[in-house]
Amino acid sequence: CEACAAGHYQNNEGSSSCRPCPAGMYGNDRGRTSENDCKPLPAGVFSSIQGMNVSKGPGVEACPKGKYSGAGGKMSALACQQCPEGQYQEEPGQDVCEFCPSGQQPSADRMDCETSLTIIIGVLVTLVALLVPLIYLIRRRVRHKRKYAVVKLGKRRCCTHRWQLY
């Protein structure tokens, strides 16, 4: 008798052939004696091939960007789900999605984060609200300097209209 190759098993003694591990499973050891000895592929990947002997490599495909698979042992791309609302995933083959940093939201395909248009508008409105009074105060100060002059009378300083100096 020979031991079954990696990715295969045989649970009947005296059998002349080995059975492949089911799709979505793999076996990297020789001599498996039960389908339960086959391990599920890791979360985030899938394979429709039976008799896999590696968890990563030819025949093993990763869930694409913007999608995830939270459980291992999947046989098809249908196991990959789009990230939930408010989350994204920019790396293929992942088992979870991530939340965008504060002030950003996921893109439509949920592959990355982008700055929200409402936040950009809010920042611009705030800048304008701060700049308008600042410009007003600077212009008022410049007009005041043109209109008035500081005159020293001994130790005292006095402010007077420029026309009165003439």
Side-chain angles (χ1 to χ4, degrees):
C1 293
E2 291 184 31
C4 291
H8 292 77
Y9 70 94
Q10 183 49 259
N11 54 359
N12 296 327
E13 286 188 28
S15 182
S16 62
S17 64
C18 294
R19 297 178 182 176
C21 287
M25 309 281 276
Y26 75 102
N28 55 1
D29 299 334
R30 294 177 48 89
R32 295 184 175 277
T33 59
S34 167
E35 184 176 327
N36 294 336
D37 293 338
C38 297
K39 301 174 189 174
L41 288 171
V45 299
F46 61 92
S47 178
S48 59
I49 299 173
Q50 295 182 345
M52 297 285 298
N53 62 0
V54 292
S55 61
K56 293 182 179 178
V60 178
E61 298 182 54
C63 289
K65 294 178 179 181
K67 295 189 176 192
Y68 77 105
S69 173
K74 301 301 180 182
M75 296 180 272
S76 74
L78 296 174
C80 301
Q81 302 168 5
Q82 185 160 11
C83 290
E85 189 71 33
Q87 296 182 22
Y88 77 106
Q89 184 48 259
E90 59 188 0
E91 298 292 328
Q94 300 299 311
D95 59 346
V96 294
C97 292
E98 301 173 16
F99 288 96
C100 288
S102 179
Q104 294 187 338
Q105 64 186 19
S107 59
D109 57 13
R110 297 196 178 117
M111 289 185 192
D112 56 5
C113 292
E114 54 191 24
T115 303
S116 172
L117 186 59
T118 56
I119 291 175
I120 293 173
I121 292 171
V123 168
L124 290 175
V125 167
T126 303
L127 285 174
V128 168
L130 292 173
L131 286 176
V132 167
L134 183 65
I135 292 170
Y136 172 76
L137 291 173
I138 291 172
R139 288 189 61 175
R140 184 174 168 200
R141 180 174 277 173
V142 168
R143 263 191 261 134
H144 187 269
K145 284 185 177 180
R146 284 188 201 150
K147 203 174 195 182
Y148 294 97
V150 176
V151 179
K152 274 189 166 183
L153 300 171
K155 291 183 178 181
R156 293 180 57 195
R157 295 176 79 181
C158 183
C159 188
T160 183
H161 280 276
R162 288 192 181 272
W163 64 269
Q164 288 179 338
L165 293 176
Y166 299 110

